[in-house]
Amino acid sequence: MHLRKEFRIAFGLIFGLQLATAFGAIAVLDRMGPAIAQVAADNVESLGAIEQMLGALALESGPLPEAAASELRQAYAKAAANVTEEEEKPLLDSIKTNLEAAIRGDQQARFSVVTALRRLSSVNRQAMFRSDDEAQQLARAGAWAAALLAFLTFLVARLLAARVENRLITPIFDIYSTLQAVKNGDSRRRSTLFKGSAEIEGIALGVNSLLDAR
């Protein structure tokens, strides 16, 4: 194989691996960012609605004032419109069933609503924890993939360096040593190392021919 072609292939491999590492890291980050942001936004909104409902129920021990009742209904509507987990549905149904009675001051209904709200809050917090775990796993997988590609790049670079030494540097040094020996009076010295590229082998043969003619 010609020297120019060898170097083009080798550097192409290194460049390709570097591009794969870069684009792999970009792909991981692109997947992580929107997914985490969406899960966090959904669950934070649900937690905000839950806190709003609990706050409205804490205002009065008896029937709620119209303003607090309206706030409670609006907060429930917000939570019901933002269901992200299957476990939320039965809890929201329980809240809906007891909501109006809780507004009127029914203590049993209010207890049921508060209990469901506390469980609903726990469900949303657990969803956020799962999202965090998934993001960390994805980040670790991306880091290991980038490390593997970097290691492959290192191996290819080492192989290229060894090949350059074997196919270019060592044969050139042999030709140089031959010329120096002849210059110093060793007229029989010839280049005998022909394991380089076709171009280097041609140079060595040409040098030997010139020395023979001399």
Side-chain angles (χ1 to χ4, degrees):
M1 186 183 292
H2 291 294
L3 193 61
R4 181 180 297 176
K5 187 175 182 180
E6 285 189 42
F7 280 108
R8 283 180 176 175
I9 293 173
F11 283 112
L13 285 173
I14 293 175
F15 184 65
L17 287 170
Q18 292 286 1
L19 282 180
T21 303
F23 283 112
I26 291 171
V28 170
L29 292 175
D30 279 346
R31 286 182 59 190
M32 286 175 60
I36 295 171
Q38 185 61 46
V39 172
D42 290 342
N43 287 282
V44 166
E45 187 171 352
S46 293
L47 288 170
I50 292 167
E51 291 174 359
Q52 189 177 358
M53 282 187 275
L54 287 171
L57 288 170
L59 289 175
E60 301 285 344
S61 58
L64 295 181
E66 185 56 38
S70 176
E71 181 182 357
L72 185 59
R73 293 186 185 103
Q74 289 175 6
Y76 170 77
K78 186 187 296 184
N82 195 47
V83 177
T84 58
E85 307 294 324
E86 284 298 321
E87 299 96 320
E88 291 183 88
K89 294 178 181 178
L91 296 172
L92 287 167
D93 290 341
S94 174
I95 294 171
K96 182 178 180 181
T97 300
N98 294 284
L99 188 63
E100 293 303 321
I103 290 173
R104 291 193 298 270
D106 187 310
Q107 293 301 311
Q108 183 61 42
R110 187 166 292 185
F111 177 79
S112 297
V113 170
V114 170
T115 300
L117 286 172
R118 292 177 64 184
R119 291 178 180 172
L120 192 61
S121 176
S122 178
V123 167
N124 280 274
R125 284 198 303 271
Q126 290 300 320
M128 294 180 74
F129 292 147
R130 284 197 302 272
S131 174
D132 180 64
D133 288 341
E134 290 170 2
Q136 291 187 35
Q137 290 175 7
L138 186 59
R140 284 194 293 268
W144 278 109
L148 177 61
L149 287 172
F151 180 68
L152 290 175
T153 303
F154 171 75
L155 287 182
V156 170
R158 286 294 302 272
L159 290 173
L160 174 61
R163 190 167 183 83
V164 167
E165 182 172 358
N166 188 54
R167 301 271 288 168
L168 180 63
I169 296 175
T170 300
I172 287 178
F173 183 76
D174 179 71
I175 294 171
Y176 172 77
S177 298
T178 299
L179 292 174
Q180 286 296 106
V182 172
K183 181 180 177 182
N184 292 330
D186 185 0
S187 61
R188 297 180 179 276
R189 177 71 177 270
R190 297 292 182 270
S191 180
T192 58
L193 193 62
F194 298 112
K195 63 179 181 179
S197 64
E199 294 88 347
I200 297 299
E201 184 177 340
I203 293 172
L205 291 172
V207 168
N208 286 347
S209 296
L210 289 173
L211 293 174
D212 289 341
R214 178 173 179 244

